[in-house]
Structure formats: structure tokens, C-alpha cells
Amino acid sequence: MNTARNGRPPEAVYIHIPFCTNKCFYCDFNSYVLKDQPVMEYLYALDREMEETVKKTPPGVIKTIFVGGGTPTVLKPDEMAYFLDSVRRHFPHWDEQIEFSMEANPGTTDIDKLRVMKEGGVNRVSFGVQAFQNELLSGIGRIHNVDDVYRSLENARAVGLNNLSVDLMFGLPNQTVDMLRESVAKALELGLPHYSIYSLKVEENTLFHTLFNKNKLPLPNEEDELAMYLLLMSAMEAAGYTQYEISNFAKPGMESRHNITYWRNEDYYGLGAGAHGYVGRQRHMNIKGVNPYIEASRSGLPRLDSFPVSEQEAMEDFMMVGLRMREGVSGTAFRSQFGKPLEEIFEAPLHKMLAAGLLEQAGDTYRLSKQGILFGNDVFGEFVGVLTEV
Ligand code: SF4
């Protein structure tokens, strides 16, 4: 039996549904085009994985569940009902204030499905909107259009799902600074409690990567991309949203508690094809392909890999993910996880980043400065590979 390092089981659960209606041109997530996929077989396999998982690490009270993908809302209402019932059976004890999020695509959320989601316990929906210009949406391979966005949000509210978030993207091919300004303004008009705004990364094994290599991907230049990031940060701040993480903005108290689990380097169950989990300073990664995952789940946990995380790595992870949050990392939290003083372990990079003005300090807390937010990856990199002598 496995428990988390503090003696308590994880309070967070991630579950992966790896199906999408089609493949977006930039996507390197573990997702497969839905047509002809054995969806019910996959849900049975997930059920088996949950059963094995809770046998190994019995759950306590669950505080957050996040169903991501893929596009979980491609499940039909009866499939969704089966899936949510299965989650409830294996993780029966929920905190009264549980945050149960599901990712959704605006093209796949009719009212019947949203009702099943609500009845099954989902209380937060995160819509992949990306942009408010149909030509940009089709240019990145999304299946929805702007009308679908309004309709899906209306449907969600009609069934009583009000804790809603939308994702936007910037740095898209053919996107101008004015287009981003318009997308942010339209997103803000929706008056939601939470927004995630990501920059496009051209990942290997995507259509965009092929086009990029052929010089056929008309991305905004660096200057425009920086202008977009500055613009969206100031627009969100002016509208009363706190940038609580590099890419995430929320009204007070409406931050994604599930994602904060990751950024605080806390434990979580990870279930489904290609999912990662972190339990008792042990990480695992599941088999990625749908059929191999289903097969493997018939004879135990469907692991691709599972390995212990050394204390050094855990410390580095603590800094890398913790500094993503605007609240930063505190010496107190570090000491309670590792029993050692943060300043001693990371003395050199802390001094270097403070001197460069990329980190700022308040008491025993360190966080990215406004300038540091723009160079986050450079700052995080300073904390990796420095602990060989610890
Ligand atoms: S909807 Fe999301 S997971 Fe699916 S292909 Fe598009 S980006 Fe990838």
C-alpha cells in the first residue's frame, strides 16, 4: 500500500479522456480522433484502473478532480453518466467544497450532456475557446466557431454550471495584436470568474511543426508576441483579475485549486491513457495508446513507467512549478516539505535572480517580479541541475 509522503493519500485526481473530434494543428497532447475508437472499452479500462489504484492507495477526502484530454465532452450523455458514476464509486468521499472540473470544447456541449455532467458532480467547466475570430479558429484546426462559444456558455449556465473558465491563445498564425485585443475584450464581456491565456508553442509531431520547418507558418514576430502578452496582462488586471499564475487569471477566490496542487508540488492520482501521477514521491506515466492501455488494464496498472523522485529533483520541481505562481514559493513551505532551509539549498540562483531583478523577495517568500514574468523559463532554468552537491 502506498501513501503520500506526509502520510495522507492524494487529495487531487486527474483523469484523462484521450478522444477529440479531430486533431488541432498545434496539438501534441495524448489525443486521438474519435471516429471508430472503442470509447466504452476505454471507460471500462479506466474503471479497472481506478479500482486497482484505490486498492493500492486508498483515497481519503478528495478536494479536486480534473477531467482533461483530449476532449472529455466528446463522450455521449450515457457514456458520460457511466464515467462519472465510476469516478464516484472509486473516489466516494468528496470535500463539501470539492472543485470538479471538466475540459470542454464549445462544439461538443449540448444541454443534455451538460445536465449529465452537473448531475454527476461536475461543478466547473473549462472551455477551449482560443480566439474570437472564425478565420483564426479554422486556421488552427478547431472544430467550433464563435457562435458555438456563446451557445455552449448559455447551455452551461442554463443547467446551473456557473463556475466557468475559457482558454484563449496568442501568438497564433495570422493573429494580429488587434485580433488578440478583440478576443480578450470579448472574453471579458462574458464576465467569467477565470481565464487561461496561453501562447502557442510549435511542438514536434504536429502539422504546425511541419509547416514551420517549411517556413509556411505565418507566426507573429517576437515584438508582436511580447506586445500581445503585455496587452493581455494589463487588460486582465484592469478588469479586476489577478494573474495568479503565468497563464492564469481569476477573480479573488476563483483560482483553479486543482492546478494549484501541481504548482505546489503536491500529490495527485493520475488515471487514463498517457496520464501522469505523483503519489508518495513516486511518479508514474501510463501507456499512451488507447488499445494498449485497455489491454494493459486487464492485468494490473497500465504503467509505461514508474520511478521514485529523489529529494534533489523534488526540491527543483518545487521551485520550477512554485515560481509559476504569483504567490511564489515560501521558505516555510519548503522547510515543511524537505526539512531544510530554502535559502541555503538555492542560495546561488536566488541571489543571481534577485540581483537581475527577475525575482522579488518579501519575508521568506520569493516570486517572479513583473519583469521576471516575461522571462519565466529563464528563471526556472536557474534552479535545475544546481543541487549535485546537496
Ligand atoms: S481539442 Fe485539445 S486535445 Fe483535442 S486536438 Fe484540439 S488541442 Fe488537442
Side-chain angles (χ1 to χ4, degrees):
M1 193 178 291
N2 205 352
T3 52
R5 59 188 171 276
N6 56 10
R8 287 196 321 234
E11 294 170 340
V13 184
Y14 174 79
I15 309 173
H16 194 77
I17 304 290
F19 308 118
C20 290
T21 312
N22 72 326
K23 191 79 178 168
C24 301
F25 303 156
Y26 55 92
C27 177
D28 75 334
F29 298 137
N30 191 41
S31 70
Y32 305 90
V33 175
L34 181 66
K35 195 169 176 298
D36 301 330
Q37 290 285 347
V39 175
M40 259 338 277
E41 283 303 315
Y42 180 78
L43 297 179
Y44 296 145
L46 253 183
D47 187 75
R48 289 192 290 273
E49 191 195 354
M50 286 188 235
E51 187 174 343
E52 285 302 307
T53 299
V54 300
K55 252 191 232 162
K56 191 172 172 210
T57 309
V61 175
I62 298 298
K63 292 196 173 151
T64 69
I65 301 174
F66 193 101
V67 184
T71 308
T73 50
V74 296
L75 298 183
K76 298 189 188 107
D78 56 333
E79 294 165 343
M80 182 69 81
Y82 170 84
F83 165 65
L84 293 172
D85 177 65
S86 172
V87 174
R88 188 85 200 216
R89 260 186 295 114
H90 297 298
F91 297 96
H93 306 299
W94 293 3
D95 186 83
E96 271 180 25
Q97 305 291 320
I98 189 168
E99 176 189 279
F100 191 159
S101 299
M102 188 175 283
E103 288 182 333
N105 191 319
T108 57
T109 40
D110 57 64
I111 204 149
D112 290 342
K113 192 177 300 174
L114 286 158
R115 198 169 283 125
V116 172
M117 286 160 56
K118 172 92 174 20
E119 282 165 6
V122 174
N123 58 18
R124 182 174 181 276
V125 184
S126 172
F127 286 97
V129 169
Q130 318 313 0
F132 278 82
Q133 295 81 18
N134 286 336
E135 67 274 24
L136 284 189
L137 291 172
S138 57
I140 59 175
R142 300 294 301 200
I143 55 155
H144 70 274
N145 59 35
V146 174
D147 286 346
D148 292 327
V149 172
Y150 291 111
R151 197 169 29 248
S152 57
L153 287 163
E154 203 176 296
N155 287 346
R157 285 172 166 147
V159 304
L161 286 164
N162 294 305
N163 190 358
L164 305 174
S165 176
V166 303
D167 288 3
L168 294 178
M169 292 179 80
F170 68 101
L172 298 174
N174 296 313
Q175 188 181 35
T176 63
V177 177
D178 281 342
M179 284 171 160
L180 180 77
R181 183 178 290 113
E182 181 186 54
S183 285
V184 171
K186 292 202 163 162
L188 284 170
E189 275 169 19
L190 300 169
L192 304 182
H194 189 280
Y195 296 90
S196 301
I197 313 181
Y198 301 102
S199 69
L200 174 75
K201 299 266 175 304
V202 177
E203 305 282 1
E204 282 184 21
N205 302 318
T206 62
L207 176 62
F208 274 6
H209 194 249
T210 309
L211 293 173
F212 182 79
N213 284 341
K214 291 184 180 163
N215 224 0
K216 286 189 175 161
L217 194 65
L219 296 175
N221 60 35
E222 269 183 30
E223 209 173 281
D224 278 357
E225 196 170 341
L226 179 62
M228 288 180 189
Y229 193 40
L230 293 171
L231 178 155
L232 71 90
M233 284 196 290
S234 62
M236 298 310 290
E237 188 178 351
Y241 291 84
T242 303
Q243 184 174 14
Y244 71 100
E245 193 265 351
I246 287 185
S247 308
N248 286 278
F249 302 82
K251 288 280 187 188
M254 302 308 287
E255 299 84 5
S256 160
R257 280 187 281 136
H258 185 84
N259 285 344
I260 288 174
T261 303
Y262 302 147
W263 299 323
R264 290 199 178 141
N265 206 31
E266 292 172 353
D267 288 15
Y268 58 96
Y269 295 99
L271 300 137
H276 296 229
Y278 186 40
V279 181
R281 207 168 277 165
Q282 179 94 15
R283 280 195 196 284
H284 76 254
M285 189 192 190
N286 278 347
I287 291 170
K288 291 176 93 172
V290 172
N291 286 312
Y293 167 84
I294 292 171
E295 267 323 296
S297 75
R298 297 188 203 283
S299 53
L301 288 169
R303 299 289 190 247
L304 180 63
D305 200 4
S306 182
F307 51 92
V309 175
S310 70
E311 183 173 64
Q312 290 178 16
E313 283 171 79
M315 286 175 175
E316 292 178 356
D317 289 347
F318 179 96
M319 298 304 286
M320 294 254 296
V321 291
L323 285 172
R324 296 189 64 85
M325 286 187 295
R326 197 69 181 111
E327 69 178 29
V329 295
S330 83
T332 313
F334 189 85
R335 193 183 278 274
S336 84
Q337 273 202 28
F338 303 105
K340 294 180 181 154
L342 172 64
E343 287 81 359
E344 219 170 84
I345 303 291
F346 288 110
E347 187 183 4
L350 283 173
H351 283 166
K352 184 173 168 192
M353 291 295 98
L354 285 168
L358 299 178
L359 282 186
E360 56 192 28
Q361 181 181 8
D364 81 339
T365 296
Y366 298 85
R367 65 176 199 170
L368 292 176
S369 64
K370 285 226 154 156
Q371 185 70 3
I373 292 173
L374 304 178
F375 298 99
N377 287 335
D378 298 326
V379 178
F380 310 147
E382 292 289 329
F383 292 89
V384 180
V386 292
L387 294 184
T388 44
E389 72 281 9
V390 171

